[in-house]
Amino acid sequence: MRRAFQTFLPLFGVIVIAISLTHLAIGPRAVIGSVPVNPTMAGEDRFFAGLLLCYGIALLSCARDVQRKRGYVNLLAAVFFVGGIGRSPASRGPTGRARAGAAAADGRHRQAGLRAG
């Protein structure tokens, strides 16, 4: 398990860095199926891409000596987890219920025998 983790951590760091550099270079167009956005949203995307770049660099820094930097690895994992929890309300409307468009798309995917993405 330790060997797998020591392989996973630098791989994840490189993937995170690649994604962030793509967003820094081309902005929100890096998202497949994205729509045109205003300059404020494009700037926000690049701002968060810079933070993601730092996160990836921190992952690579910890990957060299996982045992000694275990506390930092745990903190980075917690930050990633909390960020994921923070995204969950985005799939819901202001009422807290699933958005109608998302529910309808899910139904169409099920009818077609596909998984909702």
Side-chain angles (χ1 to χ4, degrees), residues 54-104:
C54 294
Y55 185 85
I57 291 169
L59 285 172
L60 289 181
S61 171
C62 290
R64 292 186 206 142
D65 191 3
V66 175
Q67 290 292 72
R68 192 170 63 88
K69 297 182 180 181
R70 184 175 26 178
Y72 295 116
V73 172
N74 290 339
L75 177 64
L76 289 169
V79 166
F80 194 78
F81 180 74
V82 170
I85 290 173
R87 282 187 55 122
S88 67
S91 66
R92 305 200 172 275
T95 62
R97 290 179 281 163
R99 292 182 313 204

Side-chain angles (χ1 to χ4, degrees), residues 18-80:
I19 291 169
S20 67
L21 291 175
T22 303
H23 278 265
L24 284 170
I26 63 175
R29 291 181 299 148
V31 177
I32 297 170
S34 67
V35 296
V37 298
N38 62 37
T40 302
M41 290 181 69
E44 182 179 348
D45 182 71
R46 286 186 167 96
F47 170 79
F48 286 114
L51 293 177
L52 191 63
L53 177 65
C54 294
Y55 185 85
I57 291 169
L59 285 172
L60 289 181
S61 171
C62 290
R64 292 186 206 142
D65 191 3
V66 175
Q67 290 292 72
R68 192 170 63 88
K69 297 182 180 181
R70 184 175 26 178
Y72 295 116
V73 172
N74 290 339
L75 177 64
L76 289 169
V79 166
F80 194 78

Side-chain angles (χ1 to χ4, degrees), residues 98-113:
R99 292 182 313 204
D106 186 40
R108 285 192 300 271
H109 282 99
R110 287 186 185 165
Q111 287 174 350

